[in-house]
Amino acid sequence: MAHISESTTCMRYIDPKLAKAGWDLEMCDREYQITKGRIIPEGRTGKRSAPLKADYVLKTNSDFKIAVIEAKAYDKPHDEGMQQAQDYANRMNLKFAYATNGQKIEEYDFITNKQKTIDHFPTPENLLYRLQKDLGFNDKQMTYLQEPFDRSAYDPSGDPIEPRYYQEIAINAALKSILAGKKRILLTLATGTGKTFIAYQIAKKLWKKDRPHPKILFLADRTVLLHQAKNNAFAGFGEARHKIQRVVETAYEMYFALYQALDVGKNESELYKQYSADFFDYVIIDECHRGSSTESGDWRKILDYFSRATHIGMTATPKHAADNLDTYDYFGSPVYTYSLKQGIEDGFLAPYMIHRVNLEIDIDGYVPKEGERDLDGKLLESKTYTYKDFDRTLIVNERRKTVASHLVKFLQNNKEYDKTILFCQNSEHALAMTKLIRNYSEQRHDYCVRIVSAEGEVGQEYLDHFQAPNLDFPVVAVTSRLMSTGVDVPTCRIIALDKSINSMTEFKQIIGRGTRVFEPKGKMWFSIIDYRKATRLFEDEEWDGPPVAQTDEEQEMITKGKRRNRVGKKEITEVQSPPKSDPKKIETYHIDGYKIEIHGESVLIFDQSMDKHRLVSYQDYTGETVKRLVNDEQRPLREIWTNPERRQHFVRKLEERGVTFAHLREITQLYKSDAFDLLMHFAFNAHAKTRLQRIESIRKKAFLEKFPEKARDVLEVILDHYGEHGYQELEGTDMLSLPKFEKFGGQFGVINDRFGDRQRYDKAIIELTQQIYLEN
């Protein structure tokens, strides 16, 4: 029997079996793209690795996915694709996986954890029944769960925004919990993954399910977050939307409110209490790790007052710490978690490179001389001031100037108009740095602006312009805390840290300002410039870690522990309660004239391929990666490099692991060295030869003399061309179409007139390549 391809197998055998089982083929997705493919930084933009694609995703309606099929060619074993199907189904949180060659069908049921061979596909009704039985839902609940997504929002190209696979899981996980009667629900997704979009889809499904429509409240603690949600993500609610402020309105269905606007803690009548306690059916809490779920916080009073409603918390902080333990105590275990690491691997979030800048004064600290006074004549405290003190208790003018000058030069060396956020210690520090960057850049007045709450409407206007992808100015936004969370700047390419950060929650939020991908403007990765050793937090076990509680038992232990701590603290307070006093004013000193130098700058990446939580220099990572791929031997690398097909495969393997020659050259400034020599240099500490040195070596050996003169003339030009551009030009025949080869008759003339045929040309190029990389 002649070989039947996979595509023909699908069309001729699998599709009819599906149709016979009652599946609407128009509704099921063929070649469904699950991920986008990890971004590999290259130059200013990047390229993508291959995305994950499922051959079939079966749906019971236009949106509700229920099973995955992996197809193989007719003459392949029917169950050969089962593990792949299981992986895809597990990733998409679907309960049924199938593999088939169009003849037999292999089924894996994640509900029973059983695998079996079957002759025909189950019907949609059969799979829905099995799923419904597992969930324990009635028919009405299943109808709510299968409600199609809202597609009233559009992307920049004008197409409706389609939910990503993890967004669908998050939406369905929340709905399943709500339908099961759970009153407190937590979703944990990394910054930049579209939590507000998820919240909107959940709210819209809940809103559409009943008449009269349920009342929903969206809570936030910052005006910019509230405006983004109300005016953008939740625009599909139209006139049903209302922002609560000053007076009570009850005629709407989708409400938005700042905690502050609800008058919590005021002596007069609190605004939120003017609504009945059962007014809202659902409360969505944005960035719920900040204050609202803290038992002692004023904002918690709102949740307690509306306790009859179902509370849905959204956060980007996946692991507990002192600053967000209450979040998990209040909501319980997340019903779904999607991490930054997973988002980067899937290609939905931007990867990053870390530039750590070491300032001399930060390494050694500053010790005042005996009797030294600051610019205001104040006697400096006798102590060692460290980088955590600078710009808080000790202002060193020259340190500020050094940081501002370095950042401006970094921008000028890359692209002067790359959107950049500089995080400072406080508002005063941000004001000083804004002035310095303006002066050093010599750009227009709005090249660098301060965006802090003290700037009021002017700051808000600058923020709006900074966020707009199609506006070039402002370029540099200097802030302290205002932009650390919830502010979407899709074209932000640089996060600069001149702020001491100890909170993992704050660190995650700040890094999240750069993780958004915006391909229309070529923003596919970003840089982190660290002036304060803040990136040490990448190596903390809490970075991108699992949620605090994986099971109800673990959660119960945490809650009991917190209660014991609270009781213990209360007892201590009652016995040893000290008299209250006014907070001590922090003394600030200001000095000038201290010489500051930069002692080294390293480019690092966060490597999880070998050791967990490891920051490693890009050069070291490159060397280790190369050695792993060639079993720590030089000879295989040279053999690979002289074979065009194997070399292309090897370069792809490097790129999949985040190594590109564009980055290596940018970091090392070794633009004239051959790519092969860069790899040898970092992996085996070999001297990085230049391409010119390799060309000269060939000419000294008179290798070209073995060829006829008319072929030798072409090879001379090819060598010079390699010297200018590198090894890629030795692959294929595209270079023969360049103007420099026109004198030889172009591609046809070179191959046929100068070498005789393509086979002789290819043989000559292979021999030339072997000579270029010959070990001397």
Side-chain angles (χ1 to χ4, degrees), residues 426-475:
N426 49 50
S427 186
E428 181 278 328
H429 183 206
L431 184 64
M433 294 301 290
T434 302
K435 177 180 176 180
L436 288 170
I437 292 170
R438 280 176 181 161
N439 290 338
Y440 287 138
S441 67
E442 299 181 345
Q443 292 279 351
R444 51 190 262 186
H445 74 283
D446 59 350
Y447 175 82
C448 178
V449 300
R450 185 176 74 146
I451 299 178
V452 297
S453 56
E455 294 289 349
E457 291 184 6
V458 173
Q460 182 61 52
E461 184 177 356
Y462 277 139
L463 177 57
D464 291 342
H465 291 172
F466 186 71
Q467 289 180 274
N470 295 322
L471 294 180
D472 291 332
F473 292 88
V475 174

Side-chain angles (χ1 to χ4, degrees), residues 35-69:
T35 69
K36 293 199 73 173
R38 182 185 175 97
I39 294 171
I40 302 156
E42 185 174 62
R44 278 190 48 75
T45 58
K47 60 177 70 172
R48 287 187 180 274
S49 59
L52 293 182
K53 289 184 178 181
D55 291 331
Y56 292 82
V57 171
L58 303 185
K59 300 187 295 185
T60 59
N61 62 22
S62 60
D63 277 330
F64 193 72
K65 299 176 176 64
I66 199 167
V68 168
I69 300 175

